[in-house]
Amino acid sequence: MVQNMKVEKKRGRPRAFDTKAAIGKARDVFWDRGYAAASLDNLSAATNLNRPSLYGAFGDKEDLYLDTLEGYRQDGMDVLTEALDPSLPLRDNIARVYAGALEIYLHGDTAARGCFLIGTATAEAVQHERVREVLGRSLNDFDGEIEKRMRLAVERGELPEGADPQTFARLASAVMHSLAVRARAGDSREVLEAIARSGVELICGSALGRG
Amino acid sequence: MVQNMKVEKKRGRPRAFDTKAAIGKARDVFWDRGYAAASLDNLSAATNLNRPSLYGAFGDKEDLYLDTLEGYRQDGMDVLTEALDPSLPLRDNIARVYAGALEIYLHGDTAARGCFLIGTATAEAVQHERVREVLGRSLNDFDGEIEKRMRLAVERGELPEGADPQTFARLASAVMHSLAVRARAGDSREVLEAIARSGVELICGSALGRG
DNA sequence: AGATTTTAATGCGAAATGGTACAAAATATG
DNA sequence: CATATTTTGTACCATTTCGCATTAAAATCT
């Protein structure tokens, strides 16, 4: 049932490329240049697909971009849920979330890439409603995933009794947003890790949650 | 001495436009569309300057963009220092900083604009070194201004004795960065204000700083 | 094998883009 | 007034852009 989804033999000529891989390559282009500055030639070169193939497989440039955004959101959620393993203390969870984020953000050829969503989708969000929708939904999904863990933390006493899980989740996200921006602005790993540590401290800190 | 800077009567035909106003109009265009997607036609139409005039007055598109960024940074610093009036309690200061930020971020015709720097310069930061430099410097300047107030707060006992002003400043900035992103992602004023309030609470909160 | 269906490759084209040449206009200086 | 200097407006250019039409190629179905 899992593998049946693609077993229906398609009629015509089979694709000579892997869709997921192509989206990944396209994502790298958008990540470095931003959506608007990424040309179809750039994308075509990076994916080894000529423009008509790109167009046939993904639709126009905006459609392709939305696909890369969705893929990133999904990957991000996977990393996040793994980092939030509830068998670990809350403090470790949040630290792992930030560490995982920095692992992604600090990659880059010429300069650190930061967060793909925050680094590129924000720029288009005002004009392109669909991009704004994906961006907003992604941020909310991240918040929601963290909020689940925060709820557990309140139950377990890792956070003060009256603490609002949603509020704590949003503040935990806020630190991550800042890391995303600062990484792309060129801040060093040392600075970013220091911010991450102090964020963990502030949110899960002994002063508040005696976590 | 202040007004002498421009009193040297220039020789040729005088400009028929106000430079500052033109930069402001251009900034609005970049703010909505992002740097790459803003065409010289867009900028020309918004400023009522034809392309050669734009080019003559500001240089090429990137030069003009950098001018708008610098102007925004300067304006932002002014708003920030005003909000951080040291005769007020730290809690009020930070609340005013966020309120001032939201006042700017929530403007927009089709959708909220968010922060001009974070919303548009991050997208270009990887490829354009000069943009990355301005972005990084701006973030640091904001941090520095807040840090000064935090230092004072430690001296006054508004924050715990051992607290590191730089750390607290960066965390205060982090909440603002999150507001910047979320505003552009379409979050409502209510949500943003709630985040701002909880950010103030967490950073200046009684549990920690008994401010 | 022949028909059908889907993908791949070449190349085109209309429009938009960033930038500039050039001449007219407007002002200060001599 | 004449000249030098700067700005303005029209028109233009070379390039890039996105998107597609068309044709060739490769697989499946009958």
Side-chain angles (χ1 to χ4, degrees):
Chain A
M1 178 183 169
V2 171
Q3 50 194 1
N4 267 5
M5 303 213 63
K6 277 189 173 180
V7 178
E8 330 118 356
K9 297 175 187 176
K10 286 184 185 173
R11 283 268 305 215
R13 176 175 176 173
R15 289 208 169 130
F17 62 93
D18 177 26
T19 304
K20 286 252 182 190
I23 291 181
K25 292 291 188 184
R27 177 167 69 192
D28 288 340
V29 172
F30 286 130
W31 207 331
D32 273 0
R33 311 176 90 98
Y35 167 74
S39 73
L40 286 187
D41 279 343
N42 298 145
L43 296 163
S44 179
T47 57
N48 280 317
L49 296 179
N50 38 36
R51 283 195 298 271
S53 291
L54 273 179
Y55 204 81
F58 305 106
D60 68 6
K61 186 178 156 183
E62 183 172 332
D63 292 329
L64 173 57
Y65 179 59
L66 290 169
D67 283 346
T68 66
L69 289 181
E70 286 288 356
Y72 182 81
R73 187 184 63 81
Q74 191 57 58
D75 291 354
M77 287 296 282
D78 293 346
V79 172
L80 189 61
T81 46
E82 192 180 329
L84 289 174
D85 176 358
S87 72
L88 296 173
L90 177 65
R91 179 189 296 267
D92 291 5
N93 284 141
I94 305 302
R96 281 160 55 107
V97 168
Y98 295 155
L102 287 183
E103 209 56 43
I104 295 170
Y105 297 166
L106 287 174
H107 247 259
D109 293 331
T110 63
R113 300 177 300 182
C115 170
F116 180 50
L117 273 160
I118 291 177
T120 71
T122 49
E124 311 300 326
V126 174
Q127 295 278 315
H128 296 99
E129 192 175 345
R130 295 160 72 197
V131 174
R132 185 168 71 248
E133 188 274 328
V134 177
L135 175 61
R137 175 160 47 83
S138 301
L139 296 182
N140 285 335
D141 286 357
F142 283 109
D143 288 353
E145 195 66 26
I146 300 178
E147 183 181 337
K148 286 197 301 188
R149 183 64 185 83
M150 291 296 187
R151 195 175 312 279
L152 195 62
V154 174
E155 291 172 12
R156 289 182 182 171
E158 292 174 305
L159 288 177
E161 198 169 6
D164 178 28
Q166 185 178 51
T167 297
F168 272 74
R170 284 170 169 169
L171 292 172
S173 289
V175 173
M176 192 166 63
H177 299 162
S178 188
L179 295 178
V181 170
R182 296 180 123 123
R184 203 160 167 111
D187 275 18
S188 71
R189 173 182 281 270
E190 290 69 37
V191 167
L192 297 175
E193 287 180 343
I195 293 173
R197 273 195 304 272
S198 60
V200 173
E201 200 63 30
L202 185 63
I203 292 167
C204 316
S206 50
L208 253 181
R210 75 205 64 248
Chain B
M1 179 183 173
V2 172
Q3 51 195 358
N4 269 2
M5 303 214 61
K6 278 190 174 179
V7 177
E8 330 117 356
K9 297 174 184 175
K10 287 185 186 172
R11 284 266 308 215
R13 176 174 177 173
R15 290 208 168 132
F17 62 93
D18 177 27
T19 302
K20 286 251 184 192
I23 291 181
K25 292 291 189 184
R27 177 166 69 193
D28 288 341
V29 172
F30 286 130
W31 207 330
D32 273 0
R33 312 177 88 98
Y35 167 74
S39 71
L40 286 186
D41 279 343
N42 298 146
L43 296 163
S44 179
T47 57
N48 280 318
L49 296 179
N50 40 36
R51 282 194 297 270
S53 292
L54 273 179
Y55 203 80
F58 305 106
D60 68 7
K61 185 179 159 185
E62 183 172 333
D63 292 329
L64 173 57
Y65 179 58
L66 290 169
D67 283 348
T68 66
L69 289 181
E70 286 289 355
Y72 182 82
R73 188 185 63 81
Q74 191 57 58
D75 291 355
M77 287 296 283
D78 293 347
V79 171
L80 189 61
T81 46
E82 192 180 328
L84 289 174
D85 175 358
S87 72
L88 296 174
L90 177 65
R91 178 188 297 266
D92 290 5
N93 285 141
I94 305 301
R96 281 160 54 107
V97 169
Y98 295 155
L102 286 183
E103 210 55 44
I104 295 169
Y105 297 167
L106 287 173
H107 247 260
D109 293 331
T110 63
R113 300 178 299 182
C115 170
F116 180 48
L117 274 161
I118 291 177
T120 72
T122 49
E124 311 300 325
V126 174
Q127 295 279 314
H128 295 99
E129 191 174 345
R130 295 161 71 197
V131 175
R132 184 168 71 249
E133 188 275 329
V134 177
L135 175 60
R137 176 160 47 83
S138 301
L139 296 181
N140 285 334
D141 286 358
F142 283 108
D143 288 353
E145 195 65 27
I146 300 178
E147 182 181 339
K148 287 196 301 191
R149 182 64 185 84
M150 291 296 186
R151 196 176 313 277
L152 195 63
V154 174
E155 290 171 13
R156 289 181 182 172
E158 291 175 305
L159 287 177
E161 197 168 6
D164 177 28
Q166 186 179 49
T167 297
F168 272 75
R170 284 170 170 171
L171 291 172
S173 290
V175 173
M176 192 166 64
H177 298 163
S178 189
L179 295 178
V181 170
R182 295 180 123 123
R184 201 158 167 113
D187 275 18
S188 70
R189 173 182 281 272
E190 289 71 35
V191 166
L192 297 175
E193 287 179 344
I195 293 173
R197 274 195 303 273
S198 60
V200 173
E201 200 63 29
L202 185 64
I203 292 167
C204 316
S206 50
L208 252 181
R210 70 204 68 248

